[in-house]
Amino acid sequence: MAIGQGDARKGCLATSLSFSNCRSSTRILGRKRVAVSPAPGPRSPHSPVRTLRKQRSVRFHMDDAVSLLESLPQDVLIKVLCKVNHSDLRQLLLVSKPVSEATTVARELHFKFATPSSKAVFRGDEDGDDEDGPGAPRQRRVARSRLRGKNLESIAVNLSASFESLLSEV
Amino acid sequence: MASAGSGDEKAATVTLISSDNEHFEVPEAVATLSQTIRHMIEDGCTDGGVPLPNVTGRILAKVLEYCNKHAAASDKDELEKFDKAFVDIDDQATLFDLVMAANYLDIRGMLDLTCQTIADMIKGKSVEEIRETFNIKNDFTPEEEAEIRRENQWAFDD
């Protein structure tokens, strides 16, 4: 089968990815077949140079290996992430920046169409089983008064006292 | 060479041309599983074949395998079995190529199938495991990571 330009690159990458099994005697580099002797020992003055050059180029390909997931266009990535479980979204937010962005969008879509399944574990709950019988999750979203525990003397004024003093002045 | 589909012949066909110049003559009933191709046929611009510069011959052959099977509209269980075998691919690159092709050609069933397959590769994994599976580099600083954890604690609190 003739190998076109596009295929040759793919062939290279595929070869480099399976480099660990090097058993066959030929590799395809670019458009040429390069014979590689499986034994590393030099048989002739030329083969070590050729082997070295090949190893270097293969290593270059492996370092260059991209993440296929990240090379997806964002709308496709979001489609994929819409199909994971809700609990997986948490992990995905921390994987990398592009994945995190797509996850944020997918998460909103998740909330629109699916209810997350309830978890039995309460975060930060050292007490284990609570006094509350039914074991409802703690609501931390209730607004707490900002004035709790604050010393109000500096800002509070006794209105009746000041009113009286006002009246007496008049 | 075979001409592209015109309605007068027995069964209308359309010629699809991959990026590496492979020609595939396909019955319209099969090709129209792709919304992209369906619109082109409806608009009458398929004379001389439809070039698909984003899809190689190898991937297009697989796509047509899917379309042929699903156009024949057989038994649901049989289709399920076929789909399962279709995405049983060791090579991640091929799977991603199929996702991209399904997206480009707008083949809903195949897109759902391949996306679900990738999603299944993510399910249940930890952050590190996900990175390893897909060869992703962590580009967060420790501070950024900590902030994300903090910001999202309430969202995952149930």
Side-chain angles (χ1 to χ4, degrees):
Chain A
M1 183 167 83
I3 298 173
Q5 272 186 350
D7 262 7
R9 284 198 197 281
K10 277 203 172 155
C12 251
L13 188 58
T15 309
S16 65
L17 286 175
S18 61
F19 186 69
S20 49
N21 300 337
C22 72
R23 242 171 293 143
S24 65
S25 61
T26 63
R27 283 279 181 273
I28 301 170
L29 259 189
R31 269 172 266 171
K32 294 182 187 167
R33 285 186 192 278
V34 176
V36 179
S37 62
R43 287 206 199 114
S44 80
H46 296 295
S47 61
V49 176
R50 185 184 283 170
T51 319
L52 275 174
R53 199 187 311 138
K54 226 197 62 47
Q55 281 181 346
R56 204 185 337 128
S57 68
V58 167
R59 217 179 296 129
F60 175 73
H61 278 132
M62 292 186 88
D63 286 343
D64 242 15
V66 282
S67 160
L68 292 169
L69 194 66
E70 287 183 322
S71 37
L72 284 179
Q74 219 206 25
D75 57 340
V76 181
L77 180 54
I78 291 169
K79 285 193 179 113
V80 172
L81 298 182
C82 279
K83 293 182 188 299
V84 304
N85 291 328
H86 183 255
S87 49
D88 297 306
L89 293 177
R90 179 183 218 168
Q91 316 303 322
L92 285 164
L93 284 170
L94 292 163
V95 168
S96 75
K97 287 179 185 168
V99 174
S100 189
E101 275 172 35
T103 307
T104 310
V105 179
R107 181 169 67 178
E108 283 172 41
L109 297 172
H110 255 269
F111 273 123
K112 272 192 202 164
F113 300 118
T115 319
S117 55
S118 57
K119 264 192 183 172
V121 179
F122 309 136
R123 177 186 65 83
D125 187 26
E126 317 88 288
D127 302 325
D129 285 335
D130 272 332
E131 310 90 49
D132 334 340
R138 287 215 183 97
Q139 290 297 329
R140 289 174 201 252
R141 299 174 211 169
V142 176
R144 303 201 310 183
S145 168
R146 286 183 204 164
L147 297 176
R148 196 192 300 177
K150 254 191 174 173
N151 184 357
L152 296 175
E153 278 180 24
S154 53
I155 57 173
V157 165
N158 184 350
L159 285 175
S160 56
S162 60
F163 187 59
E164 276 172 38
S165 65
L166 247 163
L167 278 179
S168 62
E169 279 175 34
V170 170
Chain B
M1 282 305 301
S3 59
S6 58
D8 290 344
E9 271 115 33
K10 0 176 184 170
T13 62
V14 62
T15 303
L16 307 178
I17 309 167
S18 70
S19 61
D20 43 357
N21 217 28
E22 269 188 70
H23 286 56
F24 297 81
E25 192 175 343
V26 182
E28 274 187 15
V30 173
T32 48
L33 255 79
S34 153
Q35 294 302 305
T36 308
I37 296 176
R38 187 166 79 93
H39 292 143
M40 292 182 78
I41 293 176
E42 285 171 355
D43 294 345
C45 40
T46 54
D47 270 2
V50 179
L52 302 172
N54 291 3
V55 192
T56 63
R58 190 176 72 94
I59 295 298
L60 188 51
K62 277 220 85 162
V63 172
L64 292 175
E65 205 185 300
Y66 178 92
C67 293
N68 274 316
K69 186 70 178 180
H70 280 254
S74 10
D75 166 55
K76 191 168 174 251
D77 288 334
E78 199 185 321
L79 282 179
E80 249 182 69
K81 250 177 82 179
F82 172 84
D83 284 352
K84 205 158 163 243
F86 186 74
V87 286
D88 188 8
I89 309 169
D90 285 333
D91 175 22
Q92 240 189 58
T94 303
L95 182 57
F96 279 86
D97 281 343
L98 286 172
V99 171
M100 296 293 289
N103 185 52
Y104 173 66
L105 293 169
D106 196 0
I107 304 172
R108 182 61 193 272
M110 191 173 140
L111 185 60
D112 283 347
L113 176 64
T114 48
C115 282
Q116 186 66 63
T117 307
I118 300 175
D120 291 344
M121 290 163 74
I122 296 174
K123 284 183 184 178
K125 288 198 162 94
S126 70
V127 182
E128 241 345 284
E129 287 169 344
I130 296 175
R131 286 194 194 125
E132 214 180 289
T133 305
F134 298 103
N135 196 33
I136 298 176
K137 198 161 171 285
N138 178 13
D139 55 355
F140 287 121
T141 64
E143 296 80 38
E144 286 169 335
E145 259 195 61
E147 192 179 334
I148 294 181
R149 281 185 210 272
R150 233 190 349 258
E151 278 175 3
N152 290 287
Q153 293 228 293
W154 72 267
F156 293 96
D157 203 12
D158 34 75

